[in-house]
């Protein structure tokens, strides 16, 4: 007996059409995204695919709340107290695609978790985002978003002292040196990577655009095209990170979305571009005024007022907070401005009809579903309450933040505490989700800081 249809679930016809069109694909990786943002799943054989579309695939609900390392978090109550009970994973429409970097005979499909009675699981990150988007839909509004991710290409092999190294150039075998922001030779050096990246993105219908060399050796940035479907935009970002890592490994290098791989080099951010369309599809942020429309100001006001509350999601790990440093292009304050990259919320330059805001705070390690959910929740709150963002910063946003004292939480513990106490994010994301997320992060904190590493010995073995 098949499960009842659901608007967020792909139909068996989609699987049948894919199998007919791709008789050579014999294996499929099925995966979902946990709270920690790490894709997890299984590799199945061809005959196992269609039953997922008809009946779903049963997976333990505890997998949603494992930590970044994949370990159980017993504090959530979803392990022993829950009997490690199954939920049913169902396929996401439009995500059944070839996975060329894994082999010509391999495909993939994304899953999302539901309760056994068919209700969406309320702590699945994809469903958390959908609940926020339902608020916009009820008001006749549509968020239009684009995800922009920075990351490093690094060598698999470490240096002579165990240090991380930028990936050697394919054309010269040299290790990149210097900043060379927007340098074309740096893009050409890894031309084979970008060529395969774009080809694979096209094969998966991921709208990946141009590449630039960023602010450090081996750092790159590519943007995903603006979409009036924020849920699909988050799907694209998850799929893109997965394929970037896979394509890089095929070429003997690694793509890392670690937000701060080197202390003395630029961090990697996850910038989100946002506007809102009305029922007629027109951009409600558009205005001749370079600072945008009143609605855009209200969005910025909501995002600015709740920025500290979001930090536990925008910066989800210990390394995340090493990125935030003055004069580093990673923002540190509750600031907004026009055509200004030193602030957290930047109204971009461009024609009046393209007016939107770039949210510059999240790190590349952020879970795309949760990053979008938190940002869009705060923007919607601002629209609903007509929140005034205050005056725009002109000039140095780092100096303005320091002078005003309106700065972001500077450590992981404080950020999770802000989230735990946020009435607004609890209202939008759900009390149960926030409770579970906070328990996962506090468990991660304990596990991370109880580990003893080389830096402990270097600082304290003889000096204590």
């Amino acid at each position: 007996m098949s499960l009842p249809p659901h608007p967020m679930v792909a139909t068996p016809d989609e699987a049948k059409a894919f199998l007919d069109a791709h008789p050579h694909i014999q294996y499929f990786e099925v995966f979902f995204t946990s709270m920690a943002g790490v894709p997890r799943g299984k590799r199945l054989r061809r005959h196992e695919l269609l039953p997922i579309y008809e009946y779903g695939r049963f997976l333990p609900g505890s997998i949603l709340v494992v930590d970044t390392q994949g370990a159980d978090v017993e504090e959530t109550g979803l392990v022993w107290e829950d009997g490690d009970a199954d939920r049913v994973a169902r396929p996401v429409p439009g995500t059944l695609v070839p996975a060329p970097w894994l082999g010509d005979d391999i495909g993939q499909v994304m899953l999302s978790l539901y309760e056994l009675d068919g209700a969406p699981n309320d702590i699945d990150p994809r469903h958390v985002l959908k609940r926020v988007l339902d608020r916009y839909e009820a008001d006749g509004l549509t968020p239009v978003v684009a995800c922009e991710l920075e990351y490093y290409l690094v060598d698999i092999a470490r240096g002579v002292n165990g240090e991380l190294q930028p990936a050697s150039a394919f054309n010269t075998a040299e290790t990149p040196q210097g900043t060379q922001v927007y340098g074309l030779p740096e893009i050409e050096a890894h031309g084979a990577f970008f060529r395969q990246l774009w080809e694979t993105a096209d094969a998966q219908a991921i709208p990946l655009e141009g590449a630039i060399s960023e602010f450090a050796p081996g750092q790159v940035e590519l943007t995903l095209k603006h979409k009036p479907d924020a849920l699909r935009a988050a799907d694209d970002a998850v799929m893109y990170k997965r394929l970037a890592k896979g394509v890089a490994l095929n070429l003997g290098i690694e793509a890392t979305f670690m937000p701060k791989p080197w202390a003395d080099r630029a961090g990697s951010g996850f910038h989100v571009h946002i506007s809102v369309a009305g029922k007629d599809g027109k951009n409600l942020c558009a205005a001749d005024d370079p600072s945008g429309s009143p609605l855009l100001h209200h969005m910025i006001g909501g995002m600015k007022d709740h920025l500290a509350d979001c930090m536990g999601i925008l910066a989800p790990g210990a390394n995340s907070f090493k990125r935030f440093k003055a004069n580093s292009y990673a923002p540190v304050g509750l600031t907004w401005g026009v055509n200004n990259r030193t602030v957290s919320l930047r109204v971009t330059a461009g024609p009046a009809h393209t007016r939107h805001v770039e949210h510059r705070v999240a790190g590349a390690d952020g879970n795309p579903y949760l990053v979008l959910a938190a940002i869009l929740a705060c923007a919607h709150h601002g629209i609903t309450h007509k929140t005034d963002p205050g005056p725009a910063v002109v000039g140095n946003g780092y100096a303005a933040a320091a002078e005003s004292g309106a700065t972001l939480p500077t450590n992981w513990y404080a950020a999770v505490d802000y989230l735990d106490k946020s009435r607004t994010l609890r209202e939008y994301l759900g009390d149960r989700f926030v409770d579970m997320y906070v328990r996962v992060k506090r468990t991660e904190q304990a596990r991370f800081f109880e580990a003893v590493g080389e830096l402990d010995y270097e600082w304290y073995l003889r000096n204590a």
Side-chain angles (χ1 to χ4, degrees):
M1 180 177 174
S2 297
L3 287 166
H6 189 284
M8 290 177 64
V9 176
T11 67
D13 287 344
E14 182 175 327
K16 292 173 184 175
F18 185 91
L19 292 170
D20 287 346
H22 300 86
H24 60 290
I25 294 186
Q26 298 298 313
Y27 309 99
F28 293 88
E29 292 198 344
V30 300
F31 69 95
F32 68 97
T33 305
S34 65
M35 283 186 182
V38 180
R40 301 188 184 279
K42 298 182 176 185
R43 181 174 288 195
L44 304 177
R45 300 186 66 185
R46 182 181 175 93
H47 68 269
E48 296 179 277
L49 180 69
L50 188 56
I52 292 177
Y53 285 76
E54 294 173 334
Y55 314 116
R57 188 85 180 191
F58 292 95
L59 297 173
S62 60
I63 300 179
L64 277 168
V65 290
V66 295
D67 69 9
T68 303
Q69 296 286 84
D72 280 336
V73 177
E74 296 177 14
E75 292 82 353
T76 61
L78 290 181
V79 185
W80 312 123
E81 292 90 336
D82 191 53
D84 203 14
D86 276 342
R87 271 65 177 179
V88 60
R90 304 185 70 182
V92 174
T95 64
L96 177 54
V97 291
W101 75 90
L102 295 173
D104 292 338
D105 58 350
I106 300 177
Q108 72 173 33
V109 63
M110 296 179 70
L111 306 175
S112 194
L113 264 62
Y114 293 78
E115 300 299 334
L116 299 187
D117 64 2
N121 180 282
D122 62 353
I123 61 173
D124 181 305
R126 199 169 189 275
H127 295 312
V128 173
L129 173 56
K130 179 61 167 62
R131 288 200 299 273
V132 174
L133 297 176
D134 288 345
R135 298 282 195 106
Y136 282 87
E137 185 177 3
D139 292 339
L141 302 173
T142 301
V144 179
V145 303
C147 299
E148 184 178 270
L149 285 154
E150 299 168 335
Y151 55 99
Y152 278 92
L153 299 176
V154 299
D155 274 345
I156 293 177
R158 299 293 177 88
V160 292
N161 297 314
E163 71 274 14
L164 189 67
Q165 303 180 108
S168 300
F170 293 144
N171 54 357
T172 66
E174 295 175 349
T175 300
Q177 303 292 330
T179 300
Q180 300 299 348
V181 65
Y182 281 78
L184 288 174
E186 285 64 36
I187 296 296
E188 293 155 8
H190 293 105
F193 169 76
F194 293 113
R195 186 174 293 108
Q196 287 192 30
L197 187 72
W198 283 314
E199 288 173 354
T200 307
D202 288 348
Q204 296 196 330
I206 297 172
L208 188 60
E209 301 201 302
I212 64 168
S213 172
E214 260 294 344
F215 211 70
Q219 191 183 38
V220 300
E221 178 187 83
L222 293 92
T223 303
L224 294 161
K225 194 172 182 179
H226 286 256
K227 276 195 169 181
D229 181 347
L231 199 59
R232 180 63 202 200
D235 293 339
D236 288 344
V238 169
M239 293 170 66
Y240 165 51
K241 289 179 72 171
R242 177 173 154 80
L243 75 86
K245 292 177 181 182
V247 168
L249 283 172
N250 273 359
L251 293 169
I253 60 175
E254 285 195 86
T256 176
F257 293 83
M258 182 178 179
K260 192 71 171 175
W262 286 275
D264 59 348
R265 299 178 186 177
S268 292
F270 174 6
H271 302 158
V272 181
H273 295 254
I274 316 159
S275 60
V276 170
K279 292 180 180 179
D280 59 1
K282 291 183 179 178
N283 182 7
L284 297 177
C285 299
D288 291 331
D289 181 346
S291 72
S293 69
L295 182 134
L296 180 56
H297 291 181
H298 297 151
M299 290 168 56
I300 292 170
M303 292 187 288
K304 177 171 168 280
D305 275 7
H306 296 92
L307 196 47
D309 295 354
C310 293
M311 287 298 289
I313 288 173
L314 305 181
N319 182 259
S320 310
F321 288 87
K322 296 183 178 182
R323 179 174 151 260
F324 298 104
K325 183 180 177 182
N327 305 321
S328 67
Y329 290 108
V332 298
L334 309 181
T335 52
W336 77 283
V338 180
N339 194 18
N340 186 339
R341 284 185 170 84
T342 69
V343 297
S344 295
L345 305 164
R346 175 177 78 109
V347 180
T348 62
H353 72 276
T354 68
R355 205 74 71 212
H356 69 276
V357 63
E358 177 191 35
H359 196 297
R360 297 176 53 80
V361 180
D365 55 337
N367 181 327
Y369 297 111
L370 300 183
V371 168
L372 290 187
I375 290 172
L376 291 173
C378 297
H380 184 269
H381 191 272
I383 293 169
T384 303
H385 293 84
K386 294 183 166 41
T387 306
D388 181 357
V393 168
V394 177
N396 189 338
Y398 297 104
E403 184 178 342
S404 68
T407 56
L408 299 171
T410 57
N411 68 73
W412 194 12
Y413 286 96
V416 173
D417 288 345
Y418 268 103
L419 173 62
D420 190 21
K421 296 171 184 175
S422 175
R423 292 183 179 180
T424 297
L425 288 183
R426 284 182 171 277
E427 175 193 346
Y428 277 84
L429 308 186
D431 274 322
R432 185 166 179 267
F433 167 78
V434 173
D435 287 341
M436 291 292 185
Y437 185 89
V438 166
R439 289 173 196 171
V440 170
K441 289 302 164 185
R442 286 180 174 155
T443 301
E444 278 192 7
Q445 288 168 347
R447 290 171 178 172
F448 184 88
F449 286 106
E450 71 188 11
V452 178
E454 285 300 318
L455 191 61
D456 291 87
Y457 297 130
E458 184 179 325
W459 280 43
Y460 303 116
L461 185 66
R462 293 193 176 119
N463 296 328

